[in-house]
């Protein structure tokens, strides 16, 4: 437990904690926005196309090296 020597110290600590709370809240809002963007169907399609492309390249390489 911290012992304060003046009301100025208390006010300073309260304002610092309030700012930390506001920063944390803004970070949560940013994470929420990022999550919403990630869950859009267009992003899923992009991810599926990238994975299919990588898988296709792997299959082509296997066929090429087997011959």
């Amino acid at each position: 437990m911290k012992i304060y020597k003046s009301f100025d110290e208390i006010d300073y600590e309260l304002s610092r904690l309030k700012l930390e709370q506001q920063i944390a809240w803004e970070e949560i809002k940013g994470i929420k926005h990022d999550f919403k963007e990630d869950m859009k169907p267009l992003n899923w399609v992009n991810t599926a196309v990238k994975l299919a492309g990588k898988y296709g390249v792997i299959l082509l390489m296997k066929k090429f090296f087997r011959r």
Side-chain angles (χ1 to χ4, degrees), residues 23-48:
I23 291 168
W25 184 249
E26 291 299 321
E27 288 175 350
I28 289 172
K29 286 199 274 186
I31 291 170
K32 178 184 169 189
H33 177 72
D34 291 344
F35 182 74
K36 277 185 176 179
E37 288 294 318
D38 288 343
M39 297 310 289
K40 286 186 177 178
L42 184 59
N43 289 334
W44 287 35
V45 171
N46 270 343
T47 303

Side-chain angles (χ1 to χ4, degrees), residues 53-67:
K54 287 180 183 178
Y55 185 69
V57 168
I58 291 171
L59 287 178
L60 285 174
M61 290 178 70
K62 282 184 179 179
K63 284 188 177 184
F64 179 73
F65 286 117
R66 283 189 183 168
R67 289 185 180 193

